[in-house]
Amino acid sequence: MSCRLTALALDAYDPARLARFWAGVLGREALEDAQGGVLLPGSGTQLGLRFVPRQVEKVGRNRMHLHLTSTTPDDQLRIVERALRLGAQHLDVGQLPEEGHVVLADPEGNEYCVIEPGNAYLAGCGLLGELTCDGTRDVGFFWAEALGWPLVWDQGLQTAIQSPRGGTKISWDGWDVAAVAPEHRNRLRFEVVLAAGDLTEEIERLTSLGATRLSAAGVGGVTLADPDGNEFHLGTPAS
């Protein structure tokens, strides 16, 4: 492994406001960064979130959304009620009445779910249990190799990976993104950082796995796309 996942970046009209919302939902501290964004640091097992200023209208459903876990029916209700007080809204995406998860949108319309208690697949993953993505099975294999994370689910067209230390899972649902993706920037993107070695060598490793370079390498790193065309940023530790 030569790079590590540090955060999920989210474009935001008002990064400070959106960070306060998610800090309240997740019980984390919001920290301003030097690029004008706001970071909710993760941990060894929980994915970090970084809110990036960008004045672009949200069009359609995001290709990625978060799954929060709950321990009891009362805990699920508390998580939902706290989110609604902080500015979330209920969202209808065609879920059935008998389904136990609750679908919400944050103050800028980003979809996420609060999963019902007793979900065995997310057991032990922590509050931020999963990032689920529209994407092909092969892109799961790409990210498993890129990050050095094992596959923890590989059935049909669906794949999922998880850090060897556990925590937040990342899954892909088997969709052909190229066939359904709108022609606009993905509002949610991975941020990875060089863990060891040389940036040029890491770019070459990732492109050999199927990534595409989208920008020239600079002091702050480089922008790449995974095999499904999802933009991500590879930075250096200092950036």
Side-chain angles (χ1 to χ4, degrees):
M1 179 192 71
S2 300
C3 67
R4 58 186 177 87
L5 178 63
T6 58
L8 175 70
L10 297 89
D11 287 343
Y13 282 105
D14 188 341
R17 180 188 179 217
L18 201 56
R20 286 194 299 271
F21 169 82
W22 281 103
V25 169
L26 298 175
R28 299 188 193 177
E29 181 182 3
L31 304 174
E32 293 186 10
D33 66 25
Q35 290 76 42
V38 185
L39 175 68
L40 301 188
S43 66
T45 60
Q46 290 285 280
L47 181 64
L49 302 179
R50 182 169 175 263
F51 303 92
V52 181
R54 186 171 173 84
Q55 302 302 308
V56 176
E57 181 182 0
K58 181 178 184 291
V59 179
R61 181 175 59 82
N62 290 329
R63 293 189 211 169
M64 304 178 180
H65 68 273
L66 299 173
H67 285 172
L68 307 187
T69 64
S70 60
T71 56
T72 66
D74 285 345
D75 182 49
Q76 184 185 28
L77 181 61
R78 282 193 295 269
I79 293 170
V80 171
E81 289 181 341
R82 181 168 67 246
L84 294 174
R85 288 195 302 270
L86 291 168
Q89 295 183 343
H90 284 284
L91 192 63
D92 182 0
V93 295
Q95 66 270 32
L96 300 175
E98 61 268 23
E99 293 182 294
H101 63 280
V102 178
V103 184
L104 300 173
D106 72 16
E108 293 202 8
N110 299 303
E111 307 87 357
Y112 72 100
C113 299
V114 182
I115 305 300
E116 68 278 7
N119 184 294
Y121 169 72
L122 295 180
C125 290
L127 177 57
L128 206 172
E130 183 178 32
L131 171 66
T132 184
C133 313
D134 295 344
T136 62
R137 179 171 179 260
D138 286 346
V139 85
F141 298 144
F142 166 83
W143 281 108
E145 289 287 339
L147 298 174
W149 288 13
L151 282 169
V152 294
W153 183 269
D154 182 17
Q155 294 191 19
L157 297 177
Q158 298 177 326
T159 50
I161 63 175
Q162 186 181 35
S163 166
R165 291 174 287 184
T168 307
K169 291 179 177 177
I170 305 175
S171 67
W172 293 268
D173 55 18
W175 285 29
D176 182 358
V177 171
V180 300
E183 294 183 1
H184 57 77
R185 172 184 167 114
N186 193 352
R187 291 170 56 86
L188 282 69
R189 302 170 305 282
F190 291 159
E191 292 192 343
V192 299
V193 66
L194 189 68
D198 176 77
L199 180 63
T200 300
E201 292 177 354
E202 181 61 4
I203 293 169
E204 292 176 352
R205 184 182 78 90
L206 293 174
T207 55
S208 74
L209 294 174
T212 303
R213 189 190 301 205
L214 300 181
S215 74
V219 176
V222 64
T223 301
L224 302 164
D226 70 20
D228 278 355
N230 298 301
E231 177 185 327
F232 68 95
H233 183 258
L234 170 64
T236 58
S239 65

